[in-house]
Amino acid sequence: MVTQKYKDMLQKKSVIRTLSEFATKRGQEIGYENVFDYSLGNPSVPVVQDYTDNTIRLLQTKTSSELHGYSPSVGLPSFKEKVAASLNKRFDMNYTANHIFPTSGAAGALAHALRAVTSPGDDVLTFAPYFPEYNCYVGMTGANLRVVPANTADFQVDFEQFEKMLTPNVSAVLINTPNNPSGAVYSAETLKKLAQLMEDKQKEYGHDIFIISDEPYREIVFDGKKAPYVSKFYDNTLSCYSFSKSLSLPGERIGYVAVNPTCTDADLLVPMMSQISRGIGHNCPSSLIMMGVEDVLDETSDMTVYETNMNLLYDKLIELGFSCVRPSGTFYIFPKALEEDAVAFCNKALKYDLVLVPSDSFGCPGYFRMAYCIDTEKVVRSLDALERFVKTEYPDR
């Protein structure tokens, strides 16, 4: 018998993917250059050249078994060692290779981290607005995702609501900073307060509560700032990372879990994750991709275009009367829609070939997301379409 659970999921397809498919189809009709597709967070800037050069060198000098053979279940030692050294240098940590577990992107990292520190029936808290796929990532473990309402003033944490929901049944708190979809970066003050509250609750309840930190946008921060490193604030932190954004490598699906060396059972968690891989099939990431990445760990693609695009959109949105918190990072902006029904708002925008994502699935109704990881030239052209949309559909604004 076909499993009903997955049949049911067909009725809950990703809104983002559905809109991206619409944009592709519309592009076949009028030329994709004429579709202002702000749906999918697919990095637009070129991959780091040193990565390409390094991969070519590997293909020319390494043996077939080295390049294409199975990697160890806990990952290539050289990759793990270099990741640990990079994190230690950048964030003043004390990782060793034994604290690094390579994965197939941040999704794979979250899949392992969640299973390592939760059991079926546990609660996992996250903060709205949140990446909709968290519903699947958490739900498939047997745990329950519970969403703390958004603090729409600045998209930091609503601590009053968080404390109410931080019950004894919570085993993990899933955070995403810099945040998709709001673009907010949690401040050091926010992280200190979050850590203190969780430490107090761990003592009160007599069990560990882990932070699972989803941080693939760690390097995309604006105004010359850097995102605070979550593991510096809280011992029981598992950092989940992907090179998809920093190196513009989303298709290669490579990332890792970094287990805070000071967390409970720190030396057991990576071996445990290799056992988790046996059950979920995320095992043995590509040997070639790990070797290609390990020598460019501290490089990034030229991501200045994202800040340029953000400023163009933010200024235009404010000019047109939108309420919007200025993003501090990522390549997303999250304005309030011009009517209560964000789905209706985004459907109207489609008439102007503006593909915007309504916020309902992000747990924060009444807003919409724009993924501005597109060419700046296209962003500039989209501003006229945005103005025509607002002035035609909402003339009283």
Side-chain angles (χ1 to χ4, degrees), residues 157-178:
V157 171
D158 184 331
F159 282 101
E160 183 178 351
Q161 293 292 332
F162 176 54
E163 186 167 9
K164 288 178 183 176
M165 297 179 67
L166 191 55
T167 68
N169 202 49
V170 174
S171 58
V173 177
L174 173 54
I175 70 172
N176 174 214
T177 176

Side-chain angles (χ1 to χ4, degrees), residues 295-367:
D295 289 330
V296 295
L297 291 173
D298 295 328
E299 295 188 41
T300 66
S301 297
D302 181 4
M303 297 183 292
T304 56
V305 64
Y306 299 141
E307 188 165 3
T308 298
N309 291 354
M310 181 276 293
N311 283 321
L312 285 166
L313 283 170
Y314 177 77
D315 289 347
K316 190 64 174 181
L317 288 161
I318 296 301
E319 176 191 321
L320 292 173
F322 285 89
S323 174
C324 182
V325 176
R326 185 177 183 272
S328 298
T330 73
F331 40 60
Y332 305 106
I333 195 165
F334 198 62
K336 191 169 179 59
L338 297 181
E339 60 180 282
E340 187 174 339
D341 187 341
V343 174
F345 173 86
C346 293
N347 283 339
K348 291 174 183 176
L350 293 175
K351 293 188 290 183
Y352 301 83
D353 294 308
L354 285 162
V355 185
L356 316 174
V357 180
S359 64
D360 299 55
S361 63
F362 296 107
C364 190
Y367 290 74

Side-chain angles (χ1 to χ4, degrees), residues 178 185 218-228 307 326 328-329:
V185 177
R218 186 196 292 153
E219 285 75 29
I220 310 178
V221 183
F222 305 144
D223 303 317
K225 297 179 180 178
K226 294 183 179 180
E307 188 165 3
R326 185 177 183 272
S328 298

Side-chain angles (χ1 to χ4, degrees), residues 115-315:
R115 285 165 173 79
V117 299
T118 70
S119 298
D122 287 356
D123 287 339
V124 175
L125 298 186
T126 198
F127 300 96
Y130 67 97
F131 183 45
E133 293 301 284
Y134 287 175
N135 291 297
C136 297
Y137 298 164
V138 174
M140 292 299 179
T141 70
N144 310 302
L145 183 68
R146 300 180 64 218
V147 181
V148 180
N151 169 9
T152 56
D154 57 9
F155 295 115
Q156 298 290 309
V157 171
D158 184 331
F159 282 101
E160 183 178 351
Q161 293 292 332
F162 176 54
E163 186 167 9
K164 288 178 183 176
M165 297 179 67
L166 191 55
T167 68
N169 202 49
V170 174
S171 58
V173 177
L174 173 54
I175 70 172
N176 174 214
T177 176
N179 179 261
N180 172 12
S182 71
V185 177
Y186 284 175
S187 65
E189 180 183 6
T190 290
L191 293 172
K192 287 176 184 176
K193 192 170 181 179
L194 183 75
Q196 186 60 61
L197 181 55
M198 291 180 62
E199 286 170 3
D200 291 344
K201 290 299 182 181
Q202 283 188 141
K203 293 175 184 175
E204 179 182 346
Y205 299 151
H207 65 76
D208 294 314
I209 307 173
F210 279 81
I211 286 180
I212 298 175
S213 181
D214 180 20
E215 44 197 58
Y217 303 96
R218 186 196 292 153
E219 285 75 29
I220 310 178
V221 183
F222 305 144
D223 303 317
K225 297 179 180 178
K226 294 183 179 180
Y229 189 59
V230 178
S231 283
K232 291 292 293 182
F233 296 84
Y234 189 69
D235 288 348
N236 278 344
T237 298
L238 306 181
S239 297
C240 297
Y241 186 73
S242 168
F243 293 96
S244 296
K245 279 70 180 181
S246 62
L247 298 178
S248 291
L249 290 175
E252 275 76 357
R253 309 307 303 136
I254 190 68
Y256 58 80
V257 181
V259 175
N260 192 326
T262 58
C263 81
T264 300
D265 289 328
D267 293 328
L268 295 180
L269 281 165
V270 166
M272 284 171 57
M273 289 178 196
S274 74
Q275 299 306 305
I276 291 167
S277 291
R278 297 172 67 188
I280 64 175
H282 273 284
N283 51 324
C284 305
S286 163
S287 299
L288 171 60
I289 304 304
M290 279 191 278
M291 286 188 283
V293 165
E294 66 183 31
D295 289 330
V296 295
L297 291 173
D298 295 328
E299 295 188 41
T300 66
S301 297
D302 181 4
M303 297 183 292
T304 56
V305 64
Y306 299 141
E307 188 165 3
T308 298
N309 291 354
M310 181 276 293
N311 283 321
L312 285 166
L313 283 170
Y314 177 77
D315 289 347

